[in-house]
Amino acid sequence: MENIIEASGLRKSFGPTQALDGLDLVVRRGEVHGFLGPNGAGKSTTIRVLLGLLKADGGSATLFGGDPWKDAVTLHKRLAYVPGDVTLWPSLTGGEVIDLLARLRGGGDKGKRDELIQRFELDPRKKGRTYSKGNRQKVALVAALASDAELLILDEPTSGLDPLMESVFQDCINAERQNGRTVLLSSHILAEAEALCDRVSIIRAGKTVETGTLAELRHLTRTSISADLASPPDGLATMPGVHDFVVEGSRVKFQVDTAVLDETLRHLASLGVRGLTSQPPTLEELFLRHYQSEGAQS
Amino acid sequence: MTALAGTGQLLRLALRRDRFILPLWAILLALFPASVAGSFKALYPDPVELAKFAKSMIASPSITGFYGPIFAPNLGSLSAWRSGILVIIAALAVSLTVIRHTRNEEEQGRRELLGATVVGRPAQLVAALLLAFGTSAVIGVLAALGLASAAPGAGAWAFGLEYAVICAFFGAVAGLAAQLTQSARTARWIVGAALGGSFLLRAAGDANGDENSVLSWISPIGFAQRIRPYAGERWWIGGVLLLIAVAFGLWAYKLAGSRDIDAGLVAPRPGPPRAGRSLSSPLGLAWRLQRGGLIGWLIGFAVISGVLGSAATTASDALKDSPELAEMFQRLGGATALGDLFMVTLISITAIAAAAQGIQAAVRARTEETTGRLEPILATAVGRTRWNAGYVLFALGGPVLSMLVVGLVGGLSYGGSSGDVSGQLPRILGAALVSLPAIWLTVAIVLALFGLAPRLVAAGWVLLAAFLLLGQLGAVLQLSQWALDLSPFTHTPHLPGGAMTWTPLIWLSLLSVALGALGFAGFRRRDVG
Ligand SMILES: Nc1ncnc2c1ncn2[C@@H]1O[C@H](COP(=O)(O)OP(=O)(O)OP(=O)(O)O)[C@@H](O)[C@H]1O
Ligand SMILES: [Mg+2]
């Protein structure tokens, strides 16, 4: 079986709020899949549907080929989950919570548990009430990473981690990828997504607006060009794929879709280039375009 | 006055959040004494008859032990006396409100959010105490006005004062408890213990038949009752208790102004780095989270049944002294002996408390869900039904243990003081267990709500309060039978002493099973979170 998670046309509403509005998501075996989108886009809702905590109103979802609602318990033996908001039991220590979750999943690796506790510099003897936000998150992360689950579902797992811990986290995820584990990673940290993810899905208002590998997505981004030209920039402004065209004396500034970069540069060269700077496409821009409501349509 | 900055805003916030529930219970509780008085008037229109009834009650130390002394054989005094249980409920409601607006807010992290604005450190406490004192005053005034309409006189205002100062006092105790412990739950336990302790002290004191027992005087409830509405009012007592309440409030204020946020009296200690073997199943987790509460309940039940069980026999002595009274009580309660009647009352009150224990366990399941702690559990290989079963076990099985304790301890102390342990123990134990189906049904309604309409789970408390009022005041208020029948506790045979009937027990149990099953089925089908 190739796809670990398959969802198509998922719909879910909470009263008047349409949280999911025909969402599609495919996560392949062995990949780290980034799940991105602005606040309230429906990431956590999707994850809860996949975990069988919410019942979708429409569409279909399969997890390991099974029904996430009906086969919840059997499917859960094969996955580990870190919630977006980690709340712990005030009277239980972090170590107890880690062990409890491992046992409820059906066993875990003691050696790995202790190693992870050390790597994340977590004190397992503190009571749930007394952990800081980042440390609460670490408790859930250690519990998930120490498991031998095939699939890790992580809902913004690093939103409270310091940069040092963030890099430990990235090392761990890369190691899990080596071990052939599949990861669904929802995140707001684009650098993290760039560093870790093989493929990403971007969702907005409950719909998937873009999905693909990072290279494919880069293709959708625009390169910023600033050039000093020998002759007037005839025809440049109207070329397909050229945006935000500005002329300042002999200088021109514009953005160009990465897909038509080659033709544009050739036309530019024909105008006589005296100086040229170009800024490589960043995912940041792509995300911003998609995150902004109008930007995605244009 | 920077310490008090923001108090007004916070008070308004609290009033807004409680704008429906607060007036509802305050008005209900304040108006009940008037209807009690109205019913007494209707039952005993002739003052001579009324005085006769009052005298028979006064002559029975076990009755005065339970409800407190009747200071004078007149309508007002009798109504004030019979409303004593309401005062305790009102005090409980006021103190829980204080904890909800102080320690609970803090535990949920909302105080931090507000504390960073222009709000003084103790402002939240002060707002909650103002709310509590204000509510107490309103309840007092309403109760006085209501009672004055049925039994005019300064006594009505004395009763209002008694009502208000008891509520204010326990509100202040709650404010203090909220400063001492890190968790709102522990603070609620402290308040419950304080209320229960005051009640027991007063009960033990008044059961001696001596109006001036030291035990009653040192109990805040007993102390306030000695304001003696309609029986030569002692107004100063209200002033003294109010001063004590204010002193407690100031103490809490001082603590609130000087302690760290989220801190209690005891600093948290580190715990085990690994989980013990018992913590490896949903049931193990439920046990771990609820064992403290369960033990607390069982201790409470043991103390109450022990103290009141031994007080019951003084009633039997009184009965022997006056055959005329005995006959009267047989007519009144239908029980063969006064002691039995007392045990019936004791068991019916503890049954309500055991139902509260069950509801608490059921509500706790909902709390696990809303705080997001259920989500990671259900994301493991634990099915919904298996998880739910742990809480259902505590909700239905906890009361079984409690009623066993009531039956055993109550039977031992009742039998011990009447010199007939082997005879009384099985009777009392049986009587205690017979109330289980009604308890189960009450809890099962909440379990069904958890599965089918989880947002309404807290309505279980309203339901329980309604059952309590129906049981305690339904007869006095002369409600019609169908209204009384709404409470499952009405259908429990009045044991010991009454006739045993199996039919209602079977019906109640079957209904409980059906509702419990509905709850399970609903929880399997609904969204979690
Ligand atoms: N239980 C619920 N009841 C009502 N509305 C809900 C509920 N859960 C989610 N929503 C709504 O559904 C929408 C999607 O929420 P969701 O939590 O999935 O967003 P998200 O993408 O995870 O956002 P974030 O990045 O902030 O975590 C939001 O509008 C939210 O308000
Ligand atoms: Mg989210």
Side-chain angles (χ1 to χ4, degrees):
Chain A
M1 186 195 44
E2 191 58 28
N3 294 335
I4 302 282
I5 296 174
E6 263 179 64
S8 70
L10 271 191
R11 312 175 66 79
K12 176 77 192 173
S13 58
F14 299 103
T17 318
Q18 189 76 32
L20 298 183
D21 192 11
L23 182 127
D24 304 312
L25 178 69
V26 172
V27 177
R28 299 178 190 149
R29 178 180 292 283
E31 76 178 5
V32 177
H33 193 102
F35 197 33
L36 312 170
N39 293 132
K43 302 181 293 296
S44 302
T45 305
T46 309
I47 289 175
R48 289 193 182 119
V49 169
L50 291 172
L51 288 170
L53 296 168
L54 299 178
K55 192 170 192 173
D57 299 333
S60 70
T62 58
L63 192 67
F64 299 110
D67 182 333
W69 178 263
K70 283 200 205 110
D71 314 326
V73 175
T74 35
L75 295 176
H76 290 176
K77 289 184 181 144
R78 303 167 66 181
L79 64 84
Y81 166 58
V82 175
D85 262 327
V86 181
T87 23
L88 302 174
W89 294 270
S91 56
L92 262 56
T93 65
E96 286 181 307
V97 172
I98 292 171
D99 289 346
L100 172 70
L101 290 175
R103 288 170 191 172
L104 294 181
R105 195 177 290 117
D109 186 337
K110 268 230 171 70
K112 201 168 170 193
R113 165 200 193 270
D114 293 342
E115 186 206 313
L116 282 165
I117 285 181
Q118 223 160 37
R119 283 186 73 183
F120 279 106
E121 296 171 15
L122 180 72
D123 180 356
R125 296 175 314 142
K126 278 196 171 171
K127 297 267 170 70
R129 179 182 286 129
T130 62
Y131 279 116
S132 67
K133 173 178 160 67
N135 281 325
R136 275 202 306 274
Q137 218 151 18
K138 286 188 208 166
V139 170
L141 263 176
V142 169
L145 290 171
S147 73
D148 48 12
E150 293 164 59
L151 169 67
L152 299 178
I153 297 184
L154 313 177
D155 193 356
E156 294 182 45
T158 60
S159 59
L161 297 193
D162 66 43
L164 207 67
M165 290 303 133
E166 168 76 40
S167 93
V168 172
F169 169 76
Q170 294 196 6
D171 292 345
C172 287
I173 295 299
N174 279 321
E176 299 305 337
R177 190 207 325 260
Q178 299 297 316
N179 297 337
R181 293 223 248 180
T182 310
V183 181
L184 176 64
L185 171 69
S186 128
S187 177
H188 286 299
I189 305 170
L190 299 174
E192 177 182 278
E194 277 197 87
L196 290 177
C197 298
D198 303 303
R199 294 196 322 129
V200 300
S201 293
I202 302 175
I203 70 167
R204 190 171 53 78
K207 278 196 198 65
T208 311
V209 289
E210 211 73 72
T211 182
T213 64
L214 286 176
E216 283 164 0
L217 291 188
R218 269 211 185 82
H219 206 63
L220 297 171
T221 59
R222 295 168 184 172
T223 306
S224 308
I225 305 251
S226 162
D228 196 6
L229 298 180
S231 52
D234 293 331
L236 198 54
T238 52
M239 281 188 73
V242 170
H243 309 270
D244 305 334
F245 193 83
V246 181
V247 187
E248 293 168 357
S250 62
R251 287 200 80 82
V252 294
K253 284 185 184 170
F254 59 91
Q255 297 198 329
V256 54
D257 289 346
T258 310
V260 296
L261 187 59
D262 189 43
E263 296 152 51
T264 314
L265 283 182
R266 229 171 290 161
H267 185 84
L268 208 57
S270 73
L271 298 170
V273 179
R274 289 198 297 228
L276 178 79
T277 54
S278 84
Q279 258 171 10
T282 63
L283 277 177
E284 208 95 9
E285 280 174 80
L286 176 74
F287 292 138
L288 286 179
R289 261 204 293 146
H290 277 308
Y291 279 24
Q292 285 154 2
S293 304
E294 305 84 9
Q297 263 91 40
S298 69
Chain B
M1 279 322 250
T2 53
L4 291 179
T7 304
Q9 291 287 339
L10 289 176
L11 183 59
R12 234 180 300 162
L13 175 69
L15 282 171
R16 202 201 110 80
R17 291 177 63 193
D18 288 356
R19 65 191 182 280
F20 296 122
I21 190 75
L22 196 77
L24 186 73
W25 64 253
I27 290 173
L28 270 183
L29 285 174
L31 293 188
F32 258 112
S35 28
V36 170
S39 306
F40 273 133
K41 227 176 180 170
L43 275 171
Y44 306 100
D46 179 4
V48 180
E49 280 295 307
L50 184 79
K52 221 162 144 193
F53 168 74
K55 284 221 174 79
S56 72
M57 291 283 141
I58 295 170
S60 147
S62 69
I63 294 289
T64 57
F66 215 95
Y67 293 104
I70 303 170
F71 293 104
N74 59 41
L75 177 64
S77 180
L78 211 58
S79 309
W81 163 79
R82 196 59 177 77
S83 306
I85 291 278
L86 283 172
V87 179
I88 296 178
I89 298 175
L92 187 66
V94 167
S95 38
L96 292 183
T97 304
V98 170
I99 290 174
R100 202 153 44 79
H101 286 296
T102 51
R103 183 53 80 167
N104 192 48
E105 285 295 284
E106 191 164 341
E107 208 178 9
Q108 304 293 327
R110 289 190 284 263
R111 176 168 167 212
E112 186 170 1
L113 197 62
L114 292 174
T117 62
V118 189
V119 160
R121 209 169 287 125
Q124 199 158 37
L125 172 78
V126 176
L129 287 181
L130 286 177
L131 181 69
F133 286 9
T135 311
S136 306
V138 170
I139 293 180
V141 170
L142 286 179
L145 288 175
L147 198 53
S149 68
W157 291 98
F159 176 70
L161 181 66
E162 175 190 330
Y163 218 140
V165 290
I166 291 181
C167 288
F169 174 81
F170 284 100
V173 169
L176 189 59
Q179 307 311 311
L180 300 180
T181 71
Q182 274 196 314
S183 85
R185 182 168 292 129
T186 317
R188 287 187 203 111
W189 272 106
I190 294 178
V191 169
L195 257 171
S198 322
F199 173 76
L200 277 182
L201 272 179
R202 189 204 57 61
D206 293 341
N208 287 335
D210 172 12
E211 223 177 78
N212 280 321
S213 153
V214 180
L215 292 178
S216 304
W217 275 98
I218 60 171
S219 151
I221 297 175
F223 186 57
Q225 277 178 342
R226 274 138 188 87
I227 291 177
R228 298 177 65 105
Y230 299 98
E233 289 80 5
R234 296 196 194 112
W235 301 95
W236 60 270
I237 286 184
V240 170
L241 202 58
L242 203 60
L243 277 182
I244 299 176
V246 170
F248 271 47
L250 284 176
W251 186 7
Y253 173 84
K254 198 160 167 288
L255 287 175
S258 58
R259 71 175 172 84
D260 293 343
I261 191 164
D262 289 343
L265 202 59
V266 189
R269 270 169 303 165
R274 284 175 192 285
R277 215 167 331 129
S278 63
L279 195 59
S280 44
S281 63
L283 189 61
L285 176 63
W287 163 246
R288 173 67 186 273
L289 296 176
Q290 305 203 55
R291 64 183 177 194
L294 181 66
I295 292 168
W297 279 107
L298 295 183
I299 292 177
F301 280 118
V303 172
I304 289 208
S305 337
V307 172
L308 295 185
S310 61
T313 41
T314 47
S316 301
D317 292 342
L319 181 73
K320 269 179 239 146
D321 296 344
S322 159
E324 189 190 340
L325 271 184
E327 195 204 310
M328 180 155 197
F329 274 109
Q330 276 191 6
R331 261 194 293 124
L332 276 176
T336 51
L338 200 49
D340 280 356
L341 180 64
F342 183 71
M343 289 312 281
V344 169
T345 315
L346 168 65
I347 288 171
S348 70
I349 292 276
T350 49
I352 292 276
Q357 173 195 12
I359 291 177
Q360 191 189 44
V363 168
R364 184 133 193 187
R366 174 66 180 159
T367 311
E368 288 290 294
E369 182 183 356
T370 51
T371 50
R373 293 192 286 250
L374 170 57
E375 211 170 273
I377 298 281
L378 288 186
T380 67
V382 170
R384 293 184 177 203
T385 301
R386 197 173 148 218
W387 176 82
N388 201 3
Y391 283 87
V392 172
L393 184 70
F394 272 87
L396 297 177
V400 176
L401 291 182
S402 295
M403 292 320 287
L404 272 173
V405 166
V406 169
L408 287 173
V409 178
L412 282 176
S413 72
Y414 182 48
S417 50
S418 61
D420 180 21
V421 173
S422 58
Q424 293 302 342
L425 186 58
R427 286 183 76 219
I428 303 301
L429 186 59
L433 295 181
V434 154
S435 51
L436 279 173
I439 298 173
W440 283 333
L441 182 63
T442 313
V443 179
I445 293 173
V446 183
L447 293 174
L449 284 177
F450 176 65
L452 300 172
R455 266 162 238 262
L456 298 182
V457 158
W461 295 117
V462 181
L463 199 68
L464 185 69
F467 292 167
L468 172 63
L469 290 179
L470 279 176
Q472 283 302 304
L473 297 174
V476 179
L477 299 183
Q478 293 176 287
L479 295 180
S480 51
Q481 189 60 36
W482 69 262
L484 297 179
D485 280 345
L486 288 179
S487 163
F489 295 93
T490 309
H491 305 280
T492 300
H494 292 255
L495 296 184
M500 176 64 187
T501 40
W502 284 100
T503 328
L505 298 186
I506 293 170
W507 274 112
L508 290 172
S509 305
L510 286 178
L511 258 176
S512 312
V513 171
L515 283 170
L518 266 180
F520 267 112
F523 183 61
R524 283 177 65 84
R525 271 172 195 80
R526 71 173 173 85
D527 289 344
V528 167

